[in-house]
Amino acid sequence: MNQYPLWKNALVLLVVLTAAVLALPNLFGKSPAVMVSPESGNASPALLAESIRVVQSAGVDSVRGKLVSGRAQLRFDNLDDQRLARSALDDALGNAVVIAPNLVSSAPDWLKLAEPMYLGLDLRGGVHFLMQVDMDAAIDKAYATLEQDMRVLLRDEGVRYRSVGRGAASVSVVLRDAANRDSVLTDLRRQYPETTVTVDEADPAAFGITFTEFALEEARTAALEKNISTLRNRVNQLGVAEPVIQRQGADRIVVQLPGVQDTTQAKEVLGATATLEYRLVYGDAADWFAAEETGRIPASAKLFRQRDTGEPILLNRRVIVSGDEIKDASSGIDSQTGSPAVFVNLNGTGANRMQRVTADNVGEPMAVVYKESRYERLVADDGSVTHEPRVDEEVINVATIRDVLSHRFQTTGLGSEEARHLSLLIRAGSLSAPVYIVEERTVGPSLGEDNIRRGFTACVVGLLLVMGFMLWYYRFFGLLANLALIVNIVMVVAVLSVIQATLTLPGIAGVVLTVGMAVDANVLIFERIREELRNGSPVQQAIHAGYDRAVGTIADANITTLIAALVLFAFGTGAIQGFAVTLSIGIATSMFTAIVGTRALVNLRYGGRRVKALAI
């Protein structure tokens, strides 16, 4: 009686050893580092060597570099060296590369079966971004949309016009016949009540349109809210747990990413505004070169350059479909050419427009424009820093329309990394207005040291008190319960490391609570054994009955707590979810260690033997 089969003992031992190996990397901590990567593609050995040279020239001799996942990783002994190196790299390499501070695991490579668990900003830091929303660009975009809508309105009404143009903060319209002005203004006020019309006294056929202040404020608020939603989707694409993304003031957004390992990708994904535009080609090659040489570009066309050849090409100014109409995208390989491709799905509006345009232009060429907006960091002579917008547009593909396109089609002409990156951005949604980082902070160990020390002290003191009591009250069985407690904590850390959960102060509270619950399970078992012994049951039967009859009570108590934890996770946010996660993991591991783990030890000690008394 009370003997586990060999396979069961081996399984328990395997689980404990696996948990220990997975938890070990957490003992080595993390080192300050700086990641350097080009704006596209992978870092080269030359970039790594140049980065090390720049850092060493700044007097940082502790730098150690290597290429990791397509990026140059520079590691340092302390945060001061990291800050000095970051500043030197910013000055020397400027906007040519992406430079991001980081914390990397110090565990040896052979022990990296799992990364150390993430710690929240309140414990061990992470990345803090303060992002500025370019509200001028948001307003400019609103006027651009109004300009296009005016063209559509006039065309639908059959009104001929001389020009529809856009000023700094208005849209100007000049009709061919002033007699149509009143009817146009009537339709305009009916469809766009949030606008104000100013009639040109000198020219009765001309008028200007501006948004009311209320409409502009609504546009700014909508841009901010849309950007928050998009940033949240993009952070989800990064797989960051418990992020904080919230509004600060009228035009800024705070993004906190606890425990982020790859800040380089975070910067690329958060601020990127890459998208695609589909336009019909205007004229032929002779027109394109003539436009470039003379500078005379037709009013309905826009001059671009082709990525592959660098040659000019004229495209219709009117966009068929842009990123706003793309609802989903995925990267893959073109089955016919074997080249990287982005498979896009259009929403209803975009699909209808694409279907109508391609049906009317079968046999005509259509181009795909890759458009990316970014902000360059400029340092003036007096040391002041400004951010200037820069928009890169290039034609990545020109193909003849062979058939009518609708909801889904593919686009080629990108590299594999660009295709993957672009599909990620499209899936997360486009930013309503460009954003750029005005403040970037990596919260290092120094800010979380006090919290870590207090949390660690609470865990250790609580653990020692509980272990002392168990040893005094239950003697040998108390020792077994204490071993189970230690294994339980190791398993919680291992699971947190495997799922890369973020541990915060509330999470530590969940671990401490788990310690008490694990002991509670053993107390129930041991008291049941004592009761059986007091009733005169033989030792082996008392042990067997103690475990068997206590399991139901333990399961009931833990399941009800688990339900509460799941409810907290479902309806809570941020730190509350962190508490729920550690509590849920602790419940599962404590049941294993308290019921299966201690039973295995008891069986090894007393199973199959003639025992007259128990040390309990």
Side-chain angles (χ1 to χ4, degrees):
M1 181 177 278
N2 295 321
Q3 286 182 303
Y4 271 167
L6 181 60
W7 70 266
K8 207 166 185 178
N9 285 322
L11 181 61
V12 173
L13 182 62
L14 180 64
V15 170
V16 173
L17 290 178
T18 302
V21 171
L22 294 176
L24 267 178
N26 293 281
L27 296 179
F28 291 88
K30 295 182 177 179
S31 301
V34 172
M35 310 298 289
V36 183
S37 64
E39 292 180 345
S40 61
N42 296 328
S44 63
L47 177 60
L48 174 62
E50 175 65 12
S51 301
I52 293 176
R53 186 194 65 76
V54 169
V55 172
Q56 289 177 336
S57 300
V60 181
D61 296 326
S62 65
V63 59
R64 305 175 298 282
K66 63 179 179 180
L67 294 175
V68 178
S69 301
R71 299 177 179 85
Q73 181 192 88
L74 308 179
R75 299 177 62 168
F76 307 94
D77 290 339
N78 52 62
L79 291 173
D80 291 336
D81 285 351
Q82 183 197 41
R83 282 191 286 269
L84 189 59
R86 164 76 189 280
S87 176
L89 289 168
D90 274 338
D91 294 340
L93 303 182
N95 296 305
V97 297
V98 178
I99 301 168
N102 205 346
L103 295 172
V104 297
S105 173
S106 299
D109 293 338
W110 61 269
L111 198 55
K112 291 183 179 176
L113 293 177
E115 290 292 320
M117 60 182 171
Y118 292 156
L119 300 181
L121 284 177
D122 55 352
L123 289 181
R124 200 173 177 181
V127 180
H128 170 99
F129 292 123
L130 179 60
M131 312 192 77
Q132 175 77 44
V133 181
D134 189 344
M135 289 302 180
D136 292 338
I139 300 301
D140 190 63
K141 185 177 180 181
Y143 275 111
T145 303
L146 180 62
E147 180 191 2
Q148 287 208 9
D149 290 347
M150 277 306 303
R151 295 178 191 273
V152 174
L153 185 148
L154 294 173
R155 187 173 62 249
D156 292 344
E157 295 293 329
V159 177
R160 302 182 66 186
Y161 58 91
R162 278 186 285 176
S163 67
V164 175
R166 184 154 48 93
S170 66
V171 173
S172 60
V173 179
V174 181
L175 305 177
R176 287 191 178 275
D177 187 352
N180 296 320
R181 191 191 67 182
D182 291 342
S183 63
V184 170
L185 293 184
T186 301
D187 289 340
L188 178 63
R189 292 190 179 101
R190 178 171 50 82
Q191 296 188 29
Y192 301 94
E194 70 279 12
T195 58
T196 301
V197 177
T198 305
V199 177
D200 189 342
E201 298 295 339
D203 184 357
F207 57 90
I209 311 168
T210 57
F211 284 110
T212 63
E213 189 56 39
F214 178 75
L216 292 175
E217 190 57 36
E218 276 197 329
R220 295 187 188 99
T221 303
L224 192 66
E225 292 177 351
K226 175 69 166 49
N227 276 10
I228 290 175
S229 175
T230 301
L231 289 174
R232 187 169 288 117
N233 290 336
R234 291 185 176 186
V235 169
N236 290 338
Q237 296 288 332
L238 291 172
V240 178
E242 302 177 21
V244 175
I245 303 170
Q246 59 190 19
R247 173 177 180 170
Q248 179 170 306
D251 55 2
R252 291 186 172 183
I253 300 172
V254 172
V255 179
Q256 292 182 346
L257 308 177
V260 158
Q261 301 293 301
D262 193 350
T263 55
T264 307
Q265 187 187 14
K267 290 176 69 175
E268 291 174 350
V269 171
L270 289 177
T273 56
T275 188
L276 296 176
E277 287 182 353
Y278 295 82
R279 299 170 184 253
L280 288 174
V281 176
Y282 184 96
D284 53 25
D287 299 323
W288 308 341
F289 285 99
E292 184 187 42
E293 291 175 3
T294 62
R296 296 176 181 172
I297 300 172
S300 59
K302 188 175 180 181
L303 187 64
F304 292 86
R305 286 200 172 274
Q306 302 184 58
R307 170 180 285 190
D308 293 340
T309 62
E311 295 179 349
I313 181 172
L314 285 173
L315 304 182
N316 274 8
R317 188 171 288 277
R318 187 177 180 188
V319 178
I320 304 172
V321 169
S322 66
D324 293 338
E325 282 89 23
I326 300 175
K327 67 178 183 180
D328 193 18
S330 60
S331 60
I333 301 297
D334 183 1
S335 59
Q336 295 183 348
T337 64
S339 59
V342 175
F343 301 89
V344 299
N345 283 301
L346 301 181
N347 61 19
T349 305
N352 291 336
R353 194 181 305 131
M354 176 63 79
Q355 189 174 27
R356 187 175 67 250
V357 172
T358 53
D360 294 341
N361 294 276
V362 172
E364 298 294 328
M366 183 174 69
V368 184
V369 180
Y370 180 80
K371 186 175 181 181
E372 184 172 13
S373 302
R374 68 186 68 191
Y375 283 80
E376 290 187 347
R377 179 175 178 270
L378 303 177
V379 181
D381 295 337
D382 60 358
S384 59
V385 177
T386 58
H387 294 82
E388 293 294 331
R390 191 185 87 188
V391 179
D392 294 329
E393 294 178 316
E394 54 185 354
V395 176
I396 60 173
N397 184 283
V398 178
T400 302
I401 300 172
R402 301 292 183 190
D403 203 353
V404 178
L405 301 178
S406 183
H407 286 83
R408 180 174 170 82
F409 49 88
Q410 69 180 42
T411 296
T412 58
L414 297 166
S416 57
E417 183 64 22
E418 279 184 314
R420 187 194 63 77
H421 189 66
L422 180 61
S423 62
L424 184 152
L425 294 180
I426 292 175
R427 281 199 304 273
S430 60
L431 292 169
S432 182
V435 297
Y436 57 91
I437 297 171
V438 294
E439 179 184 324
E440 176 187 349
R441 207 155 22 91
T442 300
V443 183
S446 58
L447 293 181
E449 277 181 353
D450 189 54
N451 289 333
I452 293 175
R453 188 176 63 254
R454 288 173 183 268
F456 182 75
T457 302
C459 282
V460 171
V461 171
L463 188 63
L464 290 178
L465 288 176
V466 170
M467 292 175 70
F469 173 80
M470 292 298 290
L471 197 58
W472 168 73
Y473 198 70
Y474 293 106
R475 294 181 284 177
F476 180 73
F477 276 75
L479 176 64
L480 300 182
N482 291 342
L483 289 175
L485 266 181
I486 296 172
V487 172
N488 179 49
I489 293 176
V490 171
M491 291 183 68
V492 170
V493 173
V495 175
L496 288 174
S497 301
V498 169
I499 66 175
Q500 291 292 279
T502 301
L503 182 66
T504 59
L505 271 178
I508 292 179
V511 174
V512 174
L513 181 59
T514 299
V515 170
M517 293 184 65
V519 170
D520 185 55
N522 282 123
V523 168
L524 286 174
I525 294 171
F526 298 161
E527 287 300 324
R528 190 69 187 180
I529 293 174
R530 279 182 167 182
E531 185 179 340
E532 293 293 329
L533 291 174
R534 282 196 295 269
N535 291 336
S537 299
V539 169
Q540 297 294 348
Q541 186 176 340
I543 294 174
H544 184 78
Y547 274 96
D548 277 5
R549 294 175 182 176
V551 165
T553 306
I554 296 170
D556 289 345
N558 282 281
I559 288 173
T560 52
T561 308
L562 183 61
I563 291 173
L566 294 177
V567 172
L568 280 177
F569 184 82
F571 294 99
T573 57
I576 295 177
Q577 286 185 321
F579 174 79
V581 167
T582 52
L583 182 60
S584 301
I585 295 171
I587 290 171
T589 56
S590 67
M591 288 187 68
F592 174 82
T593 56
I595 299 174
V596 180
T598 59
R599 181 69 183 272
L601 294 174
V602 170
N603 288 351
L604 287 174
R605 175 67 178 84
Y606 297 109
R609 299 179 184 178
R610 296 178 64 85
V611 182
K612 294 182 179 179
L614 286 179
I616 187 171

